[in-house]
Amino acid sequence: MTNKKRIVIKIGSSSLTSLHGEISRRKLKRIVEEVVELKEEGHEVLLVSSGAVAAGYRKLGCIERPTALTEKQAAASIGQGLLMEAYSEYFLSHGYVASQILITRSDFSDEKRYMNARNTLKILLDRGIVPIVNENDTVTIDRLKFGDNDTLSAKVAGLVDAEQLIILSDIDGLYDSDPRGNPEARLLSNVQEITQEIEDFAGEPGSDVGTGGMKSKIDAFKMTMASGIPAFLGKSGVRGLIKDAVDGTAKGTYFNPSADNGSLDHRKQWIAFNSGPEGIVTVNEKAKSAIVENSGELHAQHVLNVSGKFKNGAVVRLKDLDGEEIGLGIINYSSDQLSKLQNTDFQIDEDELAVVDSEGLVCRLDLPIPASV
């Protein structure tokens, strides 16, 4: 098969659970059958699946979905097993093996662990396994959470070099206004650039089962578009939707990055979306112009101020004199070294190491990178 794709499919809680909050075997079975159809056509498929808390909270004895962190984590510890048991049963009935990958944000922020996760997933996909990824809700604390599985799915799509991200939701695409309150709302079938107008269309969460609203999906699509990965948003439960989304014929919204915008390579994706900046380096106007216009190097004589403590090799935020963030970069000097350079009449030699080189720099102004990431 010449057009085989590597596809990441994000499945929200409402796509898997009944009205009572339990796992809907019927819904899950249908999703597995559609994934199997893609597998039979030669595609590689990875699932980012919500549903652990929703699947487990009633078994914990809660009448409603819990809001306390400890109860949600306890519910997830029950639900993760139930979810994987159901997935494994249905995939095995078709001759496929499913594997569970539980990830925390710190697994992405550490470059070595990030690459280890990438290598593990590559082996699984190469062997025909269906990896099922979820955030490890049982141990993750709020400040280290991805926030929702829309964000996680976009990061995973970049991690595995996916050719398409499909997000299944409880709404059949992006509208120019809320279709629940406006019967004249227009479905946008194709988005090539996420403008401020597009962002203004984002609404609140559409279901009390899940955690992600349209805003989180727009942020996810910003990441995929910056990485050159096409994406699709459509309504779960529509029979054949996943296959149609891969074929380009489904009802929903396609987010197709323009070739003119370029895309971040794998290392720059990590810098932009996963690294966890450790300090701030304020630069002058000359450096800002070089970064914005050419993604050029940053040299010591253009550094005006250093905030925070960091070692060489850390990722820092690059800001201008007004405090506006203009980029992220891997720093080649520690904060102590940079501070010393500022306090001397340092003259850079031609062979002197740049403070940030162009290969380790991502400009935030000319790429659709969500500022919250």
Side-chain angles (χ1 to χ4, degrees), residues 14 16-24 27 57-58 208-209:
S14 60
L16 289 173
T17 52
S18 69
L19 292 175
H20 302 292
E22 304 280 350
I23 290 178
S24 169
K27 288 182 178 181
Y57 76 83
R58 286 185 175 272
D208 58 5
V209 176

Side-chain angles (χ1 to χ4, degrees), residues 58-161:
R58 286 185 175 272
K59 294 287 192 295
L60 187 64
C62 300
I63 297 175
E64 297 179 345
R65 183 185 175 96
T67 57
L69 176 61
T70 53
E71 285 190 331
K72 287 193 290 185
Q73 290 177 324
S77 72
I78 299 170
Q80 283 168 355
L82 294 173
L83 199 58
M84 276 308 302
E85 180 182 25
Y87 272 125
S88 295
E89 176 186 334
Y90 285 125
F91 275 116
L92 280 173
S93 71
H94 294 280
Y96 290 100
V97 175
S99 70
Q100 183 179 42
I101 307 289
L102 295 176
I103 290 179
T104 64
R105 195 174 190 124
S106 58
D107 294 321
F108 275 72
S109 62
D110 182 282
E111 192 171 12
K112 289 183 179 178
R113 288 159 69 181
Y114 178 81
M115 292 306 299
N116 186 57
R118 172 178 164 84
N119 293 336
T120 299
L121 287 168
K122 183 179 185 302
I123 290 174
L124 291 170
L125 292 169
D126 288 346
R127 302 284 175 87
I129 310 299
V130 182
I132 299 174
V133 179
N134 195 3
E135 183 163 14
N136 194 351
D137 293 314
T138 302
V139 299
T140 303
I141 59 178
D142 277 345
R143 68 183 177 86
L144 294 179
K145 288 179 69 66
F146 290 100
D148 55 77
N149 274 356
D150 298 321
T151 300
L152 176 59
S153 66
K155 289 173 181 274
V156 168
L159 177 69
V160 301
D161 300 321

Side-chain angles (χ1 to χ4, degrees), residues 9 30 79 86-87 92 164 184 247 279 287 327 343:
I9 303 173
R30 179 181 295 176
Y87 272 125
L92 280 173
Q164 187 177 23
E184 303 298 320
D247 293 340
N343 296 326

Side-chain angles (χ1 to χ4, degrees), residues 33 36 49 100-101 125 137 141 172 182 211 221 226 236 250 285-286 339 349:
E33 288 172 348
V36 166
S49 179
Q100 183 179 42
I101 307 289
L125 292 169
D137 293 314
I141 59 178
D172 52 7
N182 178 14
T211 58
F221 296 134
S236 177
E285 285 299 312
K286 184 174 182 180
S339 295
D349 297 326

Side-chain angles (χ1 to χ4, degrees), residues 283-324:
V283 304
N284 62 19
E285 285 299 312
K286 184 174 182 180
K288 178 180 178 179
S289 297
I291 292 169
V292 173
E293 295 172 12
N294 304 308
S295 292
E297 295 180 336
L298 172 63
H299 292 283
Q301 63 263 44
H302 303 306
V303 174
L304 299 178
N305 188 47
V306 179
S307 300
K309 296 286 290 184
F310 49 83
K311 297 179 180 179
N312 63 310
V315 174
V316 298
R317 299 185 188 277
L318 304 177
K319 293 191 175 184
D320 63 15
L321 282 168
D322 296 324
E324 180 182 11

